[in-house]
Amino acid sequence: KTSGALLSYNVIVGETDAQIQGEPKVYDDQNTYSGNRIQRGFCPNCGSPIYGKTPNLAGMMIIRLGLFIDQLPKPGIELFCKYRPEWQEAIEGIKEYPVIMAKSS
């Protein structure tokens, strides 16, 4: 239940706090905007993105909230604001970052 839309909602949780049923297919993405390697987990049946993992957030998972459409919380931060189209309004009351974290050394 996610798409290639203008934005996506994600939540960052500890790997031990997430429980995934079944065995996702994993793609090791080394060609990212930030230069950070991202391990991307997908549903093996429908191809929906489930999570991402990066060395910059060791021990954490970035869960795609599109999987939980009825339970979306208010966002806490907004990334890549530098590239927000002029017509897209900012989300009131949250911290904005122009881009994502730089590549770790």
Side-chain angles (χ1 to χ4, degrees), residues 1-10 49 64 66 69 79-80 83-85 87-88:
K1 295 185 178 182
T2 62
S3 71
L6 178 63
L7 53 91
S8 68
Y9 290 94
N10 304 287
R64 308 297 182 244
I69 197 72
L79 303 174
F80 286 100
Y83 302 103
R84 181 186 321 139
W87 51 264
Q88 177 67 43

PDB file of all heavy atoms in Angstrom, residues 1-10 49 64 66 69 79-80 83-85 87-88:
ATOM      1  N   LYS A   1       0.820  -1.193   0.000  1.00  0.00           N
ATOM      2  CA  LYS A   1       0.000   0.000   0.000  1.00  0.00           C
ATOM      3  C   LYS A   1       0.858   1.248   0.000  1.00  0.00           C
ATOM      4  O   LYS A   1       0.532   2.231   0.631  1.00  0.00           O
ATOM      5  CB  LYS A   1      -0.926  -0.005   1.204  1.00  0.00           C
ATOM      6  CG  LYS A   1      -1.937  -1.111   1.172  1.00  0.00           C
ATOM      7  CD  LYS A   1      -2.891  -0.971   2.318  1.00  0.00           C
ATOM      8  CE  LYS A   1      -3.922  -2.068   2.236  1.00  0.00           C
ATOM      9  NZ  LYS A   1      -4.902  -1.979   3.274  1.00  0.00           N
ATOM     10  N   THR A   2       1.987   1.203  -0.666  1.00  0.00           N
ATOM     11  CA  THR A   2       2.795   2.404  -0.822  1.00  0.00           C
ATOM     12  C   THR A   2       2.979   2.649  -2.304  1.00  0.00           C
ATOM     13  O   THR A   2       2.671   1.793  -3.128  1.00  0.00           O
ATOM     14  CB  THR A   2       4.167   2.257  -0.137  1.00  0.00           C
ATOM     15  OG1 THR A   2       4.878   1.190  -0.745  1.00  0.00           O
ATOM     16  CG2 THR A   2       4.028   2.009   1.345  1.00  0.00           C
ATOM     17  N   SER A   3       3.486   3.831  -2.635  1.00  0.00           N
ATOM     18  CA  SER A   3       3.620   4.161  -4.046  1.00  0.00           C
ATOM     19  C   SER A   3       4.863   4.988  -4.283  1.00  0.00           C
ATOM     20  O   SER A   3       5.578   5.329  -3.357  1.00  0.00           O
ATOM     21  CB  SER A   3       2.385   4.940  -4.505  1.00  0.00           C
ATOM     22  OG  SER A   3       2.401   6.234  -3.948  1.00  0.00           O
ATOM     23  N   GLY A   4       5.075   5.344  -5.507  1.00  0.00           N
ATOM     24  CA  GLY A   4       6.172   6.220  -5.874  1.00  0.00           C
ATOM     25  C   GLY A   4       5.713   7.666  -5.844  1.00  0.00           C
ATOM     26  O   GLY A   4       6.011   8.438  -6.736  1.00  0.00           O
ATOM     27  N   ALA A   5       4.990   8.046  -4.838  1.00  0.00           N
ATOM     28  CA  ALA A   5       4.430   9.384  -4.718  1.00  0.00           C
ATOM     29  C   ALA A   5       5.490  10.389  -4.273  1.00  0.00           C
ATOM     30  O   ALA A   5       6.633  10.048  -4.017  1.00  0.00           O
ATOM     31  CB  ALA A   5       3.267   9.368  -3.725  1.00  0.00           C
ATOM     32  N   LEU A   6       5.073  11.623  -4.118  1.00  0.00           N
ATOM     33  CA  LEU A   6       5.939  12.718  -3.716  1.00  0.00           C
ATOM     34  C   LEU A   6       6.584  12.485  -2.349  1.00  0.00           C
ATOM     35  O   LEU A   6       7.699  12.888  -2.100  1.00  0.00           O
ATOM     36  CB  LEU A   6       5.128  14.016  -3.694  1.00  0.00           C
ATOM     37  CG  LEU A   6       5.847  15.272  -3.260  1.00  0.00           C
ATOM     38  CD1 LEU A   6       6.978  15.594  -4.229  1.00  0.00           C
ATOM     39  CD2 LEU A   6       4.880  16.428  -3.174  1.00  0.00           C
ATOM     40  N   LEU A   7       5.882  11.814  -1.459  1.00  0.00           N
ATOM     41  CA  LEU A   7       6.410  11.612  -0.117  1.00  0.00           C
ATOM     42  C   LEU A   7       6.037  10.227   0.395  1.00  0.00           C
ATOM     43  O   LEU A   7       5.240   9.524  -0.199  1.00  0.00           O
ATOM     44  CB  LEU A   7       5.873  12.696   0.835  1.00  0.00           C
ATOM     45  CG  LEU A   7       4.355  12.874   0.865  1.00  0.00           C
ATOM     46  CD1 LEU A   7       3.730  12.010   1.922  1.00  0.00           C
ATOM     47  CD2 LEU A   7       4.014  14.332   1.082  1.00  0.00           C
ATOM     48  N   SER A   8       6.667   9.852   1.484  1.00  0.00           N
ATOM     49  CA  SER A   8       6.319   8.584   2.137  1.00  0.00           C
ATOM     50  C   SER A   8       6.405   8.793   3.646  1.00  0.00           C
ATOM     51  O   SER A   8       7.105   9.677   4.124  1.00  0.00           O
ATOM     52  CB  SER A   8       7.258   7.457   1.710  1.00  0.00           C
ATOM     53  OG  SER A   8       8.563   7.685   2.200  1.00  0.00           O
ATOM     54  N   TYR A   9       5.667   7.988   4.365  1.00  0.00           N
ATOM     55  CA  TYR A   9       5.685   8.021   5.824  1.00  0.00           C
ATOM     56  C   TYR A   9       6.417   6.793   6.321  1.00  0.00           C
ATOM     57  O   TYR A   9       6.146   5.674   5.879  1.00  0.00           O
ATOM     58  CB  TYR A   9       4.261   8.038   6.394  1.00  0.00           C
ATOM     59  CG  TYR A   9       3.545   9.334   6.140  1.00  0.00           C
ATOM     60  CD1 TYR A   9       2.732   9.503   5.040  1.00  0.00           C
ATOM     61  CD2 TYR A   9       3.701  10.398   7.027  1.00  0.00           C
ATOM     62  CE1 TYR A   9       2.083  10.706   4.816  1.00  0.00           C
ATOM     63  CE2 TYR A   9       3.053  11.601   6.806  1.00  0.00           C
ATOM     64  CZ  TYR A   9       2.246  11.743   5.699  1.00  0.00           C
ATOM     65  OH  TYR A   9       1.608  12.930   5.475  1.00  0.00           O
ATOM     66  N   ASN A  10       7.357   7.016   7.240  1.00  0.00           N
ATOM     67  CA  ASN A  10       8.170   5.939   7.790  1.00  0.00           C
ATOM     68  C   ASN A  10       8.289   6.123   9.293  1.00  0.00           C
ATOM     69  O   ASN A  10       8.164   7.234   9.799  1.00  0.00           O
ATOM     70  CB  ASN A  10       9.574   5.964   7.183  1.00  0.00           C
ATOM     71  CG  ASN A  10       9.548   5.894   5.683  1.00  0.00           C
ATOM     72  OD1 ASN A  10       9.274   4.857   5.111  1.00  0.00           O
ATOM     73  ND2 ASN A  10       9.816   7.006   5.024  1.00  0.00           N
ATOM     74  N   PRO A  49       7.272  -2.399  -0.537  1.00  0.00           N
ATOM     75  CA  PRO A  49       8.389  -2.150   0.375  1.00  0.00           C
ATOM     76  C   PRO A  49       7.941  -2.298   1.821  1.00  0.00           C
ATOM     77  O   PRO A  49       6.858  -1.843   2.182  1.00  0.00           O
ATOM     78  CB  PRO A  49       8.800  -0.707   0.077  1.00  0.00           C
ATOM     79  CG  PRO A  49       7.810  -0.145  -0.856  1.00  0.00           C
ATOM     80  CD  PRO A  49       6.876  -1.211  -1.288  1.00  0.00           C
ATOM     81  N   ARG A  64       8.047   1.144   6.562  1.00  0.00           N
ATOM     82  CA  ARG A  64       7.153   1.908   5.681  1.00  0.00           C
ATOM     83  C   ARG A  64       5.740   1.897   6.263  1.00  0.00           C
ATOM     84  O   ARG A  64       5.100   0.849   6.364  1.00  0.00           O
ATOM     85  CB  ARG A  64       7.120   1.317   4.281  1.00  0.00           C
ATOM     86  CG  ARG A  64       8.477   1.101   3.649  1.00  0.00           C
ATOM     87  CD  ARG A  64       9.226   2.419   3.457  1.00  0.00           C
ATOM     88  NE  ARG A  64      10.501   2.169   2.810  1.00  0.00           N
ATOM     89  CZ  ARG A  64      11.672   2.394   3.370  1.00  0.00           C
ATOM     90  NH1 ARG A  64      11.750   2.875   4.588  1.00  0.00           N
ATOM     91  NH2 ARG A  64      12.790   2.152   2.721  1.00  0.00           N
ATOM     92  N   GLY A  66       3.035   2.951   5.063  1.00  0.00           N
ATOM     93  CA  GLY A  66       1.966   2.674   4.111  1.00  0.00           C
ATOM     94  C   GLY A  66       1.361   1.302   4.327  1.00  0.00           C
ATOM     95  O   GLY A  66       0.243   1.022   3.897  1.00  0.00           O
ATOM     96  N   ILE A  69      -2.072   1.717   6.868  1.00  0.00           N
ATOM     97  CA  ILE A  69      -2.801   2.893   6.411  1.00  0.00           C
ATOM     98  C   ILE A  69      -3.804   3.429   7.428  1.00  0.00           C
ATOM     99  O   ILE A  69      -4.037   4.633   7.498  1.00  0.00           O
ATOM    100  CB  ILE A  69      -3.466   2.631   5.039  1.00  0.00           C
ATOM    101  CG1 ILE A  69      -3.856   3.938   4.362  1.00  0.00           C
ATOM    102  CG2 ILE A  69      -4.651   1.703   5.169  1.00  0.00           C
ATOM    103  CD1 ILE A  69      -2.706   4.730   3.857  1.00  0.00           C
ATOM    104  N   LEU A  79      12.242  15.135   5.825  1.00  0.00           N
ATOM    105  CA  LEU A  79      13.547  15.087   5.163  1.00  0.00           C
ATOM    106  C   LEU A  79      13.436  15.544   3.715  1.00  0.00           C
ATOM    107  O   LEU A  79      12.362  15.482   3.121  1.00  0.00           O
ATOM    108  CB  LEU A  79      14.104  13.662   5.193  1.00  0.00           C
ATOM    109  CG  LEU A  79      14.262  13.015   6.560  1.00  0.00           C
ATOM    110  CD1 LEU A  79      14.689  11.571   6.424  1.00  0.00           C
ATOM    111  CD2 LEU A  79      15.257  13.781   7.407  1.00  0.00           C
ATOM    112  N   PHE A  80      14.547  15.944   3.137  1.00  0.00           N
ATOM    113  CA  PHE A  80      14.644  16.372   1.733  1.00  0.00           C
ATOM    114  C   PHE A  80      13.788  17.606   1.446  1.00  0.00           C
ATOM    115  O   PHE A  80      13.281  17.773   0.341  1.00  0.00           O
ATOM    116  CB  PHE A  80      14.277  15.239   0.771  1.00  0.00           C
ATOM    117  CG  PHE A  80      15.323  14.183   0.667  1.00  0.00           C
ATOM    118  CD1 PHE A  80      15.194  12.991   1.356  1.00  0.00           C
ATOM    119  CD2 PHE A  80      16.455  14.377  -0.103  1.00  0.00           C
ATOM    120  CE1 PHE A  80      16.156  12.009   1.277  1.00  0.00           C
ATOM    121  CE2 PHE A  80      17.430  13.405  -0.198  1.00  0.00           C
ATOM    122  CZ  PHE A  80      17.289  12.223   0.493  1.00  0.00           C
ATOM    123  N   TYR A  83      14.118  19.884  -1.672  1.00  0.00           N
ATOM    124  CA  TYR A  83      13.541  19.498  -2.960  1.00  0.00           C
ATOM    125  C   TYR A  83      12.011  19.509  -2.961  1.00  0.00           C
ATOM    126  O   TYR A  83      11.397  19.018  -3.891  1.00  0.00           O
ATOM    127  CB  TYR A  83      14.062  18.113  -3.360  1.00  0.00           C
ATOM    128  CG  TYR A  83      15.565  18.107  -3.439  1.00  0.00           C
ATOM    129  CD1 TYR A  83      16.327  17.548  -2.422  1.00  0.00           C
ATOM    130  CD2 TYR A  83      16.221  18.710  -4.496  1.00  0.00           C
ATOM    131  CE1 TYR A  83      17.708  17.574  -2.462  1.00  0.00           C
ATOM    132  CE2 TYR A  83      17.607  18.742  -4.554  1.00  0.00           C
ATOM    133  CZ  TYR A  83      18.347  18.174  -3.534  1.00  0.00           C
ATOM    134  OH  TYR A  83      19.708  18.210  -3.583  1.00  0.00           O
ATOM    135  N   ARG A  84      11.403  20.069  -1.934  1.00  0.00           N
ATOM    136  CA  ARG A  84       9.944  20.138  -1.862  1.00  0.00           C
ATOM    137  C   ARG A  84       9.439  21.080  -2.952  1.00  0.00           C
ATOM    138  O   ARG A  84       9.914  22.198  -3.084  1.00  0.00           O
ATOM    139  CB  ARG A  84       9.513  20.653  -0.494  1.00  0.00           C
ATOM    140  CG  ARG A  84       8.006  20.735  -0.345  1.00  0.00           C
ATOM    141  CD  ARG A  84       7.536  21.372   0.952  1.00  0.00           C
ATOM    142  NE  ARG A  84       8.351  20.972   2.074  1.00  0.00           N
ATOM    143  CZ  ARG A  84       8.739  21.802   3.025  1.00  0.00           C
ATOM    144  NH1 ARG A  84       8.410  23.050   3.038  1.00  0.00           N
ATOM    145  NH2 ARG A  84       9.491  21.364   4.012  1.00  0.00           N
ATOM    146  N   PRO A  85       8.468  20.642  -3.741  1.00  0.00           N
ATOM    147  CA  PRO A  85       7.911  21.537  -4.758  1.00  0.00           C
ATOM    148  C   PRO A  85       7.273  22.769  -4.106  1.00  0.00           C
ATOM    149  O   PRO A  85       6.787  22.704  -2.974  1.00  0.00           O
ATOM    150  CB  PRO A  85       6.818  20.689  -5.433  1.00  0.00           C
ATOM    151  CG  PRO A  85       7.138  19.283  -5.077  1.00  0.00           C
ATOM    152  CD  PRO A  85       7.851  19.319  -3.766  1.00  0.00           C
ATOM    153  N   TRP A  87       4.526  24.152  -4.532  1.00  0.00           N
ATOM    154  CA  TRP A  87       3.102  24.004  -4.240  1.00  0.00           C
ATOM    155  C   TRP A  87       2.828  23.095  -3.045  1.00  0.00           C
ATOM    156  O   TRP A  87       1.729  23.075  -2.525  1.00  0.00           O
ATOM    157  CB  TRP A  87       2.345  23.487  -5.461  1.00  0.00           C
ATOM    158  CG  TRP A  87       2.950  22.263  -6.083  1.00  0.00           C
ATOM    159  CD1 TRP A  87       3.805  22.237  -7.145  1.00  0.00           C
ATOM    160  CD2 TRP A  87       2.762  20.906  -5.698  1.00  0.00           C
ATOM    161  NE1 TRP A  87       4.174  20.945  -7.433  1.00  0.00           N
ATOM    162  CE2 TRP A  87       3.539  20.105  -6.559  1.00  0.00           C
ATOM    163  CE3 TRP A  87       2.009  20.280  -4.696  1.00  0.00           C
ATOM    164  CZ2 TRP A  87       3.585  18.721  -6.457  1.00  0.00           C
ATOM    165  CZ3 TRP A  87       2.061  18.897  -4.596  1.00  0.00           C
ATOM    166  CH2 TRP A  87       2.841  18.141  -5.473  1.00  0.00           C
ATOM    167  N   GLN A  88       3.841  22.359  -2.577  1.00  0.00           N
ATOM    168  CA  GLN A  88       3.661  21.459  -1.440  1.00  0.00           C
ATOM    169  C   GLN A  88       3.917  22.211  -0.140  1.00  0.00           C
ATOM    170  O   GLN A  88       5.008  22.712   0.093  1.00  0.00           O
ATOM    171  CB  GLN A  88       4.613  20.262  -1.541  1.00  0.00           C
ATOM    172  CG  GLN A  88       4.542  19.304  -0.374  1.00  0.00           C
ATOM    173  CD  GLN A  88       3.216  18.581  -0.304  1.00  0.00           C
ATOM    174  OE1 GLN A  88       2.705  18.134  -1.316  1.00  0.00           O
ATOM    175  NE2 GLN A  88       2.659  18.475   0.882  1.00  0.00           N
TER     176      GLN A  88
END
